[in-house]
Amino acid sequence: MPEKKTFYITTPIYYPSGNMHIGHTYTTVAADTMKRFKQLTGYDAYMLTGTDEHGQKIEKKAAEEGVTPKAYVDRIVANTKELWKLMEVEYDDFIRTTDERHTVIVQKIFRQFYDQGDIYKSQYEGLYCTPCESFWTATQVVEKDGVKCCPDCGRPVEVTREESYFFRMSKYQDWLIDYIEQHPDFIQPQKRANEMINNFLKPGLQDLCVSRTSVKWGIPVDFDPEHSIYVWIDALSNYITALGYGTDHDELYRKYWPADVHLVGKEIVRFHTIYWPIMLHALGLPLPRQVFAHGWLLFGNDKMSKSKGNVVYPQPIVERYGADALRYYLMREMPFGADGNYTNEAFLTRMNSDLANDLGNLISRTVAMIEKYFDGAVQAPQALEPIDETLKAHALALPGLVEEQMNALQFSLALQEIWKVIGECNKYIDETQPWVLGRGEEGKARLSTVLYMLAECARFAAVLIAPFMPKTPERIFAQLGVTDEALKTWDSLATFGRLPAGTMVHKGEALFPRIDIKKDLALLSGEDEPAPEKKPEKAPKEAKKPEKKPQEIPEGCVSIDAFEKLSFRTAKVLSCEKVEKSDKLLSFKLDLGDETRTVLSGIAKAYPEPEKLVGRTLVLFANLAPRKIMGTLSQGMLLSALDEKTGALRLLTVDDADSVAPGSEIG
Ligand code: MSP
């Protein structure tokens, strides 16, 4: 037997700072679907997921709960594994960055970088408040009588330097630009590659600070243990440490590396397409074949975030409708690469239209008619008519079409192709009118063919949906009476007509019962069942309900709803210069992770050397309506503090900006 071709797919490793929500589920389900698809089509596929457990965020969360960071993450990791099980995710390995198999190799990698001169030790300059043990930048400190003081405790700060290790990113910049240009599939969708080249690589890479002495919850540099290794160097390495890279047991590494695709959210493309390739190249290792950036699941116009209280968790949905329904929705609703919305209403509507109506009805009608007209036995088809030939041709073309879309990670388009044929089958029922054919003996021969066509198409659909909906195919096969495993394979779809005559169908429960959307919407949002609209007998019950008073908003305040419409995001300064012919305005180019914006700000007097702001992370009011100022469209407002007495103006910045991706929501 020739060796199977391998396929290695990864998800990002998630921060276990809280339980995973539907956004994390989206990436993980996509990876699992792709892995299952590759297995179905004959590959030896391997899927890795895991958790990114170090860093200040986790340290802080654990402290808030009064537990050790390890105890904190252990609990979240257990919940995460439960969730993936609930979602039918079959990962091959789950790596935790606290695993010893990971930490020792990260230390080894760091040491190699140092030994070969890619990492050097230098000074990170800042202003230090000894009582608070905090570094501050020149713009963060407050001045009292000409003395620079700590903004937290008000005591004087000293100019201090923190020793740090730096990675010579700049050394690899030209190589990387060239690599990306020579490998157009490396970063997908293409627009993300353009963003990386234009926004980060061409303007010039800065050397990256890759160690912290102030962060204790991290992997220590083994030859200088005061320093913790920067979380992204630690995290990105997971993709190879999990395979045993750098150990005596590196069979998996040799078998599966380079990865075929790293799935990542659009906000972490930069780390995966700049730092990670440079790290690998410096180690002399091949690069992953592709990094695919998918979009966000939004809630309204917002990315889900716990602080906004708009997080959707999969558990209640799965408990009520099953994992397959949610998996279908996630893979069908939005094109992979674009943002999309999650709403219960859209989910329930799709369940009714695609699952209950299109797929569910096809199966139930087919099985019911075979039972009714032929006592449950599938009949051999007779000579095909043109309408049958057309349907057969479409069914036979389907695997190729689905494979093409899947290879481009276009899950929703692959499902659309399958549903086109399901729709065609339902139309075929209306056109061939089996209930008319079944009225007399003369129609029976034709009816045999019609029902055979439908049963065989249903078998095709069951095989093709398996990667997306792992449990549903068996339920369809049980109704169709398909027990032979050979008829459940991808290869069996090369021939139309493999379902044997004489197969006995068995009507079962509806695959996806129709939903009363209004009622279920209320249930999902945790409210009582809504009272029926016109039934007076329900009136007394309604009358008992306490009336919900609209919340009073004191003058000068805004409601939480109004606040939630505002979007504040972190923005990293790519460039900053004075606007010609203006003594007030500075023009900023800002990195928001998924886009670059131009913003004008009237703070030129406060910042006579604007170029010094490059690299700083500021706070942007991001959904202020754009407006033209002196011929330039300004897209947002940078927040700053104004001391009304002295007129001093200072930009708001973000604490420990390195640990926050540009464009992060503030709330
Ligand atoms: N730990 C880093 C990744 C390190 S990978 C070497 C991290 N973790 S994260 O938990 O913040 O997010 C990980 C991924 O979760 C995102 O890249 C994205 O894939 C996914 N998502 C989190 N929220 C999401 C949505 N609302 N919508 C879609 N995906 C989202 O970044």
Side-chain angles (χ1 to χ4, degrees):
M1 270 261 282
E3 289 246 316
K4 283 182 175 180
K5 274 181 78 178
T6 60
F7 185 83
Y8 177 34
I9 186 163
T10 65
T11 73
I13 49 172
Y14 304 103
Y15 291 127
S17 49
N19 284 325
M20 301 304 142
H21 56 62
I22 205 165
H24 308 110
T25 306
Y26 176 64
T27 322
T28 315
V29 164
D32 178 68
T33 302
M34 194 62 197
K35 178 202 153 178
R36 287 172 182 271
F37 179 76
K38 285 292 172 182
Q39 281 180 325
L40 182 67
T41 51
Y43 283 72
D44 172 346
Y46 194 88
M47 172 185 164
L48 176 70
T49 189
T51 38
D52 183 1
E53 305 187 0
H54 293 121
Q56 270 173 325
K57 197 148 92 179
I58 306 276
E59 214 172 14
K60 202 169 141 221
K61 282 270 179 186
E64 277 165 21
E65 286 202 4
V67 294
T68 62
K70 184 67 169 54
Y72 182 87
V73 293
D74 281 350
R75 181 170 55 85
I76 306 285
V77 167
N79 294 346
T80 305
K81 288 184 172 172
E82 277 298 307
L83 176 60
W84 298 158
K85 202 159 126 202
L86 185 74
M87 291 305 304
E88 304 287 344
V89 169
E90 283 183 351
Y91 52 78
D92 294 278
D93 196 0
F94 189 108
I95 183 138
R96 303 180 55 175
T97 53
T98 49
D99 289 346
E100 201 189 335
R101 60 173 173 154
H102 174 77
T103 56
V104 293
I105 300 302
V106 171
Q107 288 178 322
K108 191 170 160 186
I109 290 173
F110 195 94
R111 201 177 331 124
Q112 182 179 337
F113 288 149
Y114 183 71
D115 289 345
Q116 67 194 28
D118 284 311
I119 283 181
Y120 60 94
K121 199 172 190 178
S122 183
Q123 304 284 335
Y124 184 85
E125 213 178 89
L127 297 160
Y128 198 63
C129 170
T130 314
C132 298
E133 289 195 323
S134 301
F135 278 100
W136 302 104
T137 61
T139 49
Q140 288 168 330
V141 292
V142 288
E143 289 226 358
K144 275 194 217 155
D145 305 326
V147 180
K148 292 185 169 62
C149 295
C150 170
D152 268 1
C153 71
R155 282 176 275 199
V157 292
E158 295 162 41
V159 176
T160 321
R161 289 147 182 242
E162 187 187 86
E163 264 194 337
S164 283
Y165 288 92
F166 288 82
F167 192 110
R168 285 183 216 283
M169 289 286 160
S170 44
K171 176 175 152 191
Y172 294 102
Q173 172 182 315
D174 292 340
W175 162 79
L176 186 54
I177 294 178
D178 196 48
Y179 185 89
I180 295 173
E181 284 173 352
Q182 300 296 320
H183 297 81
D185 286 339
F186 175 50
I187 308 176
Q188 282 296 320
Q190 177 61 37
K191 69 169 183 176
R192 303 285 171 207
N194 301 341
E195 280 169 15
M196 293 303 123
I197 297 221
N198 296 331
N199 300 349
F200 299 104
L201 288 165
K202 290 217 165 131
L205 284 182
Q206 312 236 331
D207 287 356
L208 179 71
C209 177
V210 288
S211 75
R212 304 292 305 273
T213 48
S214 48
V215 178
K216 294 293 165 225
W217 178 236
I219 304 177
V221 174
D222 57 359
F223 53 90
D224 197 352
E226 280 298 294
H227 292 257
S228 296
I229 295 173
Y230 176 48
V231 279
W232 276 99
I233 299 280
D234 165 358
L236 289 161
S237 308
N238 92 88
Y239 301 126
I240 54 174
T241 61
L243 299 179
Y245 166 78
T247 69
D248 295 339
H249 310 287
D250 63 352
E251 300 78 21
L252 290 175
Y253 172 78
R254 282 188 276 119
K255 184 170 184 190
Y256 292 111
W257 191 259
D260 289 272
V261 58
H262 290 318
L263 295 187
V264 301
K266 61 182 182 178
E267 78 281 21
I268 55 173
V269 177
R270 185 162 59 94
F271 301 98
H272 284 82
T273 59
I274 296 181
Y275 299 163
W276 182 224
I278 289 180
M279 284 169 64
L280 287 166
H281 188 61
L283 291 170
L285 304 180
L287 269 46
R289 295 201 172 85
Q290 187 169 84
V291 175
F292 196 106
H294 65 72
W296 287 336
L297 266 189
L298 305 171
F299 194 90
N301 288 322
D302 287 336
K303 185 168 182 241
M304 287 181 198
S305 87
K306 283 197 202 103
S307 54
K308 290 204 173 111
N310 64 1
V311 177
V312 176
Y313 292 99
Q315 288 85 346
I317 304 170
V318 173
E319 270 151 31
R320 212 173 150 72
Y321 308 101
D324 279 12
L326 182 58
R327 288 176 60 116
Y328 174 79
Y329 176 84
L330 292 175
M331 293 297 94
R332 173 64 185 86
E333 188 65 10
M334 57 207 227
F336 207 60
D339 287 346
N341 264 280
Y342 176 85
T343 65
N344 286 333
E345 188 166 6
F347 166 68
L348 296 173
T349 306
R350 222 173 238 298
M351 268 199 81
N352 269 355
S353 67
D354 299 11
L355 301 183
N357 279 2
D358 297 344
L359 178 63
N361 275 347
L362 170 64
I363 306 302
S364 67
R365 289 163 92 188
T366 303
V367 171
M369 289 190 289
I370 296 174
E371 285 196 335
K372 178 167 175 191
Y373 298 117
F374 297 108
D375 295 327
V378 173
Q379 304 295 299
Q382 310 294 309
L384 299 191
E385 293 189 1
I387 187 171
D388 314 324
E389 293 287 4
T390 308
L391 182 58
K392 175 179 163 182
H394 286 172
L396 278 170
L398 199 47
L401 294 169
V402 169
E403 188 162 25
E404 193 183 322
Q405 296 298 355
M406 288 301 279
N407 285 341
L409 289 150
Q410 289 308 317
F411 301 96
S412 66
L413 296 181
L415 284 170
Q416 269 183 45
E417 294 294 349
I418 302 172
W419 255 254
K420 267 190 220 160
V421 174
I422 292 173
E424 192 177 333
C425 286
N426 281 320
K427 213 164 122 228
Y428 175 89
I429 299 180
D430 298 339
E431 284 172 9
T432 53
Q433 300 192 317
W435 53 91
V436 175
L437 296 172
R439 277 183 201 150
E441 271 313 302
E442 65 287 1
K444 280 280 167 90
R446 177 74 192 129
L447 186 58
S448 303
T449 309
V450 166
L451 295 183
Y452 185 89
M453 292 294 302
L454 291 170
E456 180 66 340
C457 282
R459 181 180 76 84
F460 266 60
V463 173
L464 289 163
I465 63 172
F468 302 88
M469 307 170 79
K471 285 276 182 268
T472 306
E474 272 312 318
R475 298 173 65 209
I476 300 178
F477 290 136
Q479 297 209 29
L480 289 177
V482 174
T483 48
D484 181 354
E485 293 302 312
L487 297 186
K488 302 174 183 174
T489 64
W490 182 262
D491 289 346
S492 75
L493 306 186
T495 314
F496 190 93
R498 293 211 35 198
L499 183 68
T503 301
M504 294 303 293
V505 302
H506 312 278
K507 194 148 176 52
E509 278 181 9
L511 289 179
F512 296 96
R514 262 195 84 77
I515 290 162
D516 177 338
I517 295 188
K518 208 168 160 194
K519 190 170 134 205
D520 279 34
L521 272 179
L523 284 172
L524 283 174
S525 62
E527 292 172 18
D528 295 347
E529 273 192 42
E533 266 150 37
K534 282 181 197 152
K535 282 194 182 161
E537 63 270 27
K538 290 269 172 175
K541 189 179 169 205
E542 278 182 1
K544 275 191 216 153
K545 284 190 180 172
E547 244 184 72
K548 274 190 197 155
K549 280 193 196 152
Q551 193 203 343
E552 272 178 33
I553 311 286
E555 223 184 301
C557 296
V558 293
S559 70
I560 186 76
D561 290 349
F563 175 74
E564 276 179 359
K565 289 197 184 116
L566 309 180
S567 164
F568 295 97
R569 295 173 68 184
T570 63
K572 191 162 178 180
V573 180
L574 296 170
S575 68
C576 178
E577 54 198 30
K578 286 192 85 167
V579 172
E580 256 182 60
K581 296 190 189 134
S582 163
D583 52 1
K584 278 199 194 136
L585 287 174
L586 290 183
S587 171
F588 289 81
K589 277 252 168 328
L590 299 171
D591 170 24
L592 270 76
D594 52 330
E595 58 175 313
T596 306
R597 291 207 193 172
T598 302
V599 171
L600 300 190
S601 182
I603 52 168
K605 287 200 174 133
Y607 292 93
E609 294 176 286
E611 64 287 356
K612 290 203 169 153
L613 291 169
V614 172
R616 296 270 294 279
T617 299
L618 307 176
V619 175
L620 181 73
F621 175 14
N623 64 347
L624 177 70
R627 61 190 179 119
K628 264 206 168 155
I629 308 173
M630 297 187 69
T632 303
L633 190 68
S634 178
Q635 304 159 290
M637 181 199 279
L638 286 166
L639 301 191
S640 51
L642 170 68
D643 181 333
E644 289 194 351
K645 281 191 205 129
T646 61
L649 199 57
R650 283 286 157 228
L651 281 162
L652 260 59
T653 56
V654 175
D655 184 25
D656 190 21
D658 276 352
S659 64
V660 186
S664 296
E665 288 286 345
I666 296 170

